[in-house]
Structures are given as C-alpha cells and as structure tokens.
Amino acid sequence: MASSASNAALIDDDTPGFGEEENPKQFRHPYVVLFHFGFRAAALIVYLFCGWFSDGFVTSFVFTVILLSLDFWTVKNITGRILVGLRWWSYVDGEGKSHWVYEARKEGDVRKVHAAESRVFWIGLIVFPLVWSILFILAIFRFSFRWLVLDCIALSLNGANVYGYLRCKLGKGTNLTGAVSNYANGFFRQQVMDKAVNMLTRQAQTSNVNSATNII
C-alpha cells in the first residue's frame, strides 16, 4: 500500500500568533461550519416539505439525492479536514485493488483543532443520520417503499462519513479490512439505485396508462 499524504499537509497552520487570544466560543471557520450543516439540512427540508410545493415524488427524489451527494462530498473532503483535522479516502493500486486510508493529525497538532468547531462537527455528523434512521423506521411502518429507498440512500451516504471519521478518530493506522466499506458501496450502487430506477420507471408507466385511460 502506498504511503498516505502527510498529516501536517491537511490544512494550513492557522493557529493564533504570539500575543493573540482566540475566543473559544467564536468559530475560526464560520463558512465551513455553515456548509457542514447547509447541504444536509437542506436535504432534510426538501425531503419533509417538498410535497407542499410539488405533488411529484420524482422532484423530491432528485433534489434530495443531489443535496445528499453534495453533502457527502463536502463533509468528506472539506469540513472534516478543516474542522477536526481528519480525512479518509481510497485509491486503486496498479493491480486493481482498493485501499482505504484514514488520516488524523499527530497528537502534537491537536491544539490546532478549535474546540467549538470540533463539537459542532461531531454533533452534525451524528445527529442527522439518527434523524434519517427515524424517517427510515417511519417509512417502514407506513409501507412507503419509495420513500424507504430515499432513506436508504441518505443512511448510506451519511453512514459512510460517520464510519470513515470514527475510524480516523479511533483508529491508529491505515490497515483496515475494507469489507464493510466495499459492501456499503456495492449495496448502494447495485441495490438501492436499481430499486430507485425500477420504481421511477413503474411510476412513469402507471402515469402514462392513467393518462391514456382519461383520454378514452
């Protein structure tokens, strides 16, 4: 396995200079904190309230998936690196094998992590998957299988970041069996998306049949 990038290169050194005092309650990166919550909150709002403005499930599905994807990329590549000094990523070697790398700052660099930003990061990372889990359970009891698919997508993307950052935080090396991550990715690609496409196709066919019936 190729060596991972240097931990010191995760972000620039923006610690306070000599004679400067940092307010522990004031965010050092307010815009990054905003983006950490922005996309995932927007995805949840669209999921819950899009029906007020549109009767079509497809519209809600598409916008929610787009926002979830933006959130996944932002949290994975930007907010975790800047707010808590953690990063996880993968690469494929020359033999076609996937390798997962989980990085964290050295213990001597922990002082660079802002306490308030770290707390907000972990709250946002954990709370939203719990909310999606509740929505997942509600969809099961309501037998709303099309929304269940969307809940699965949200849990897969949010859960991947939770797993990756917990592995960065708790793990001390990069040697980790990629079975769980590979299974999650494979399940997401092969099962969830296939069901979503089939569901949307069936809904379109049903709409066409209903339209033809109304014309007759």
Side-chain angles (χ1 to χ4, degrees), residues 53-197:
F53 307 99
S54 174
D55 295 330
F57 169 74
V58 177
T59 302
S60 302
F61 183 92
V62 170
F63 277 99
T64 304
V65 170
I66 290 175
L67 290 170
L68 287 171
S69 301
L70 291 173
D71 169 71
F72 174 80
W73 186 90
T74 302
V75 174
K76 177 180 179 294
N77 296 291
I78 299 177
T79 63
R81 176 175 58 87
I82 295 177
L83 298 181
V84 291
L86 303 175
R87 181 174 65 176
W88 66 277
W89 52 284
S90 65
Y91 68 94
V92 180
D93 60 18
E95 299 179 356
K97 296 181 180 180
S98 298
H99 299 272
W100 298 85
V101 181
Y102 303 87
E103 295 181 330
R105 284 201 184 101
K106 297 179 181 179
E107 294 183 359
D109 292 335
V110 173
R111 59 185 175 85
K112 297 180 182 178
V113 177
H114 192 278
E117 290 182 347
S118 176
R119 184 164 51 252
V120 168
F121 172 83
W122 289 108
I123 290 175
L125 190 70
I126 301 298
V127 168
F128 281 88
L130 293 178
V131 175
W132 284 110
S133 299
I134 295 173
L135 295 174
F136 175 83
I137 296 173
L138 291 176
I140 292 177
F141 282 107
R142 294 176 179 175
F143 298 100
S144 181
F145 295 106
R146 60 180 185 177
W147 291 105
L148 191 64
V149 173
L150 193 52
D151 294 332
C152 289
I153 296 175
L155 286 173
S156 298
L157 295 177
N158 281 262
N161 270 327
V162 171
Y163 176 82
Y165 281 115
L166 286 177
R167 183 63 181 85
C168 293
K169 183 71 174 178
L170 303 177
K172 296 299 182 183
T174 57
N175 294 325
L176 180 70
T177 303
V180 176
S181 297
N182 290 333
Y183 175 80
N185 290 334
F187 176 81
F188 173 75
R189 290 192 302 266
Q190 298 176 8
Q191 299 295 328
V192 177
M193 294 306 297
D194 289 344
K195 291 181 181 179
V197 172

